[in-house]
């Protein structure tokens, strides 16, 4: 699956994407001329610090942020002008803060049924149960409200909701940065499992090099609205970065991050 | 430990709510010397509540009990509000996650630092101004004169955190409590702030309590680490010996973290034990 | 908690509700529990419930007819026959106040029914769509807001002719703008929230988002605001009645009764004071309930 990635047609292809916020004197370019391609079934990372424009790219793809691009093809369709219901069936997003991303006064079941109603999904109930099962949520939680769930459970609900339309692509906007480390591990595992089961393509935004290194095959490093470089994660972590900014980012992540020495021989516990 | 700066014995914090009694902290004891002491835990572990209790800044609904919380010869639990006012900010400084909530939005940051110094030292306005400017320099702010006249909303996250540190240090406290002080910062900025804290602790002989959820960061930055889970300290270790942690919770946390250099298909998931 | 209510309490507080309606009941129960923990709110609620009770059963409660004149017993001080005395035409004041509760309550109900949907829709549409629609709707709103509400109501009633129905319409016209402003502010903060983005990513139409997702989330604060405004509504109605532009004699509207009482203030204090106290009590009750509701409905308490 992974090997023929490079030869196949990319499922997301973006060239010279520009996103501008504000008008006149306040005009500010959040993303200025970004190009990349993501292949079917892979996890592509967008790494950068706050304000680098990485999340804005996801919002631009979905149409939540107004944008211009030379090429923006997603799942075989040109999405520069209009995104039909078909687009939203194929592309779904998982947000950073799962509490913010769920309707505060809808039950879990209603959160799942809402996309089914809007997109006229057949067998909504069966799919809802299947989605809950595949994210590992008990049916006992069906009638609870988001505030009655833990952070990890909320994020599972958000993922289940995104799965309702059986999408090809999931846009992951820092899906674990609001969660505890132990819960993060569960969610990352879940994302990997779902990818294996359903052949999903992930475009994942994160500030955490550890998470990106764990999840992604390739990643783009972003800084101040542009992609500094795009490289294999293997190269990224093994000193293959060529740009100063990337090196600085890695050095800073490692300085007070994991210690490469004691990790070199993982302890058998 | 001989002559600890701060000594906490059997600290308990509980809340009485509609759903019954909730114990946020269940018997925490530790001594703090002139060192960087890390308190690590996940959300709900009681790490922040511990920090607040030391400053007697617990929420009004909280019931705080302890065998002793001693700062030098002062019994913090028994101290009057006046004594506490003299301790907070002057003998114990607190740096929180978001400096925006801790700074007065309508006063320039320089004046706020100068004010903190004046209260502490009863010095003249011009002295305080000089001291504040010097302090801004000490936390490695370029062009302190200009920053002195800036308002909190003009600060970036890293700069705001430097201001907070400068403000806390100007009254020369013995102890600094940093509660997730670097969690909202980008890695490159975090690195600078940590280096700054490191220097200051070394130079001034402060005791630093560094509260964080980030086990990697704490093990690299601190001298000693307390690992908290559901209100208890499950393990105390020298930071360098965290690898030899024996408690299953600590081990589980270490295992669950994605590692840059050790690719794994699946991350081991922490199994929680009700007995912890 | 008695043993009988144990099963119900357990059903209302279980961690695992079994259906959508079960969950909804639990939610109501939770709000009620928070509301009930506020004694002032409960006191206010009791007064309002009493008002409703009186309004329903007034034919059986009132000792006399509100219109029946007895010119031999005019301006009688409160005594055992006339608990609150009689007015200048010998009508029993207690009976008139009791009958007046129907008028007060219907003013409050009709105004809320008119005002809440208008304010909510105008505010949500303006806040969610933004742009020129927002500008136009908000300028209209501000036009209404720029007059003191009593003056505006006066102008409307003067134009429409004095009557209770016109007074109600006039009050409604003055009461929707603050609701619209509130709903707009809430919508503005809601529209960029992630859960709204998530619905947009399902391809939902703007109409669906406004009506199905934004407006329902604004409802709690609108309810609170309207409850707090009830006092103002009652006072405006009373004011119009006092000025002779609301309910017309001989209808026992409290404001109009105060107005008549003014003439006998020095000699027969009870004629104006008793309806005045009624206005005060009911306004206060609505304010107390509004405050308690605000605390009970605030999701931040959870």
């Amino acid at each position: 699956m992974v090997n023929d990635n490079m030869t196949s047609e990319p499922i997301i292809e973006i060239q010279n994407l520009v996103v501008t916020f504000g008008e006149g004197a306040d005009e500010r370019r959040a993303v200025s001329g970004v190009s990349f391609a993501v292949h079917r079934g892979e996890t592509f990372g967008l790494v950068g610090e706050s304000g680098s424009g990485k999340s804005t790219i996801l919002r631009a793809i979905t149409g939540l942020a107004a944008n211009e691009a030379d090429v923006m093809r997603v799942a075989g369709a040109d999405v520069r002008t209009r995104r039909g219901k078909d687009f939203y069936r194929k592309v779904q997003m998982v947000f950073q803060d799962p509490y913010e991303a769920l309707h505060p006064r809808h039950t879990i079941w209603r959160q799942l049924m809402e996309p089914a109603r809007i997109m006229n999904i057949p067998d909504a109930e069966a799919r809802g149960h299947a989605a809950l099962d595949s994210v590992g949520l008990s049916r006992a939680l069906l009638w609870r409200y988001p505030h009655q769930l833990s952070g990890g459970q909320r994020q599972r609900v958000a993922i289940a909701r995104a799965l309702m339309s059986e999408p090809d692509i999931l846009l992951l906007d820092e899906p674990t940065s609001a969660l505890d480390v132990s819960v993060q591990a569960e969610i990352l595992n879940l994302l990997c499992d779902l990818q294996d089961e359903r052949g999903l393509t992930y475009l994942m935004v994160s500030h955490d090099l550890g998470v990106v290194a764990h999840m992604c095959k390739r990643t783009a490093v972003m800084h101040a609205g542009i992609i500094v470089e795009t490289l294999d994660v293997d190269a990224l972590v093994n000193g293959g970065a060529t740009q100063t900014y990337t090196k600085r980012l890695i050095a800073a992540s490692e300085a007070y991050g994991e210690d490469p020495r004691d990790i070199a021989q993982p302890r058998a516990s | 430990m001989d002559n600890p700066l701060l000594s906490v014995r059997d600290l308990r914090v509980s809340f009485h709510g509609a759903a019954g009694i909730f114990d946020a902290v269940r018997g925490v004891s530790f001594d703090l010397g002139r060192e960087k002491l890390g308190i690590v835990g996940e959300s709900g572990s009681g790490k922040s509540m511990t920090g607040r209790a030391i400053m007697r800044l617990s929420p009004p609904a909280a019931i705080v009990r302890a065998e002793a919380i001693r700062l030098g010869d002062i019994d913090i639990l028994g101290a009057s509000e006046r004594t506490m006012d003299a301790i907070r900010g002057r003998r114990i400084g607190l740096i929180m996650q978001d400096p925006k909530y801790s700074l007065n939005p309508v006063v320039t940051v320089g004046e706020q630092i100068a004010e903190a110094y004046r209260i502490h030292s009863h010095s003249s306005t011009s002295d305080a101004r000089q001291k504040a400017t010097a302090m801004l320099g000490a936390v490695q702010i370029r062009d302190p004169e200009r920053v002195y006249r800036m308002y909190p909303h003009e600060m970036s996250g890293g700069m705001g955190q430097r201001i907070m540190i400068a403000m806390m240090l100007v009254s020369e406290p013995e102890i600094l409590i940093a509660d997730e002080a670097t969690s909202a910062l980008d890695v490159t900025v975090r690195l600078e702030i940590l280096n700054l804290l490191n220097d200051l602790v070394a130079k001034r002989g402060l005791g630093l309590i560094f509260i964080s959820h980030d086990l990697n960061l704490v093990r690299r930055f601190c001298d000693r680490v307390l690992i908290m889970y559901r209100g208890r300290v499950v393990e105390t270790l020298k930071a360098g010996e965290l690898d030899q942690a024996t408690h299953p919770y600590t081990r589980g946390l270490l295992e669950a973290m994605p590692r840059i250099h050790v690719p794994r298909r699946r991350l081991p998931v922490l199994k929680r034990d009700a007995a912890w | 908690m008695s043993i009988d209510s144990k099963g119900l309490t357990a059903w209302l507080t279980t961690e695992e509700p079994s259906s959508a309606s079960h969950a909804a009941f639990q939610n109501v129960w939770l709000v009620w529990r928070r509301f009930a923990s506020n004694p002032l709110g409960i006191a206010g609620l009791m007064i309002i419930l009493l008002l409703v009770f009186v309004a329903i059963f007034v034919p059986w409660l009132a000792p006399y007819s509100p219109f029946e004149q007895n010119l031999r017993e005019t301006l009688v001080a409160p005594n055992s026959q006339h608990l609150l005395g009689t007015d200048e035409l010998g009508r029993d004041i207690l009976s008139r106040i009791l009958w007046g509760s129907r008028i007060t309550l219907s003013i409050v109900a009709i105004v809320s029914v008119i005002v809440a949907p208008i304010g909510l829709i105008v505010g949500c549409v303006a806040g969610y769509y933004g742009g020129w629609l927002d500008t136009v709707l908000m300028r209209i709103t501000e036009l209404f807001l720029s007059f003191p509400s009593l003056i505006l109501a006066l102008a409307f009633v003067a134009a429409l002719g004095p009557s209770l129905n016109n007074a109600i319409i006039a009050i409604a016209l003055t009461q929707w703008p603050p609701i619209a402003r509130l709903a707009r502010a809430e919508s503005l903060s809601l529209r960029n929230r992630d859960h709204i983005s998530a619905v947009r990513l399902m391809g939902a139409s703007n109409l669906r988002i406004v009506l199905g997702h934004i407006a329902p989330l604004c409802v709690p604060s609108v309810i609170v605001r309207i409850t707090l405004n009830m006092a103002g509504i009652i006072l405006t109605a009373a004011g119009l009645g006092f000025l002779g532009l609301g309910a017309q004699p001989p209808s026992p509207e409290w404001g109009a009764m105060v107005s008549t009482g003014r003439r006998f203030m020095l000699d027969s204090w009870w004629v104006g004071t008793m309806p005045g106290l009624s206005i005060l009590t009911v306004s206060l009750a609505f304010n107390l309930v509004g405050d308690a509701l605000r605390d009970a409905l605030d999701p931040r308490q959870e």
Side-chain angles (χ1 to χ4, degrees), chain A residues 49-50 180-182 184-186 188-189 193 196 210 214 237 249 252 254-259 262-263 267, chain B residues 42-43 186-188 191 194-195 217 220 243 251 256-262 264-267 269 272:
Chain A
E49 298 185 297
S50 53
D180 280 327
V181 180
S182 58
Q184 165 173 287
E186 294 170 14
L188 292 180
N189 285 343
D193 294 345
D196 290 347
H214 175 70
V237 301
L249 189 67
E254 285 183 340
Y256 284 113
E258 64 190 81
D259 190 338
D262 56 47
I263 307 267
R267 278 172 48 103
Chain B
E42 297 188 298
S43 49
D186 283 324
V187 274
T188 48
L191 183 62
L194 288 174
N195 287 341
L217 186 150
R220 299 286 292 274
D243 267 349
R251 293 230 52 86
M257 276 185 295
R259 292 170 185 169
I260 298 179
H261 295 279
V262 185
R264 290 171 294 179
R265 187 73 190 100
R266 294 185 68 82
L267 297 166
V269 170
R272 289 180 165 78

Side-chain angles (χ1 to χ4, degrees), chain A residues 97-109:
Chain A
D97 181 344
Y99 189 64
E100 276 281 296
L102 299 176
H103 193 295
R105 289 178 195 274
H106 283 180
T107 58
I108 304 314
W109 185 243

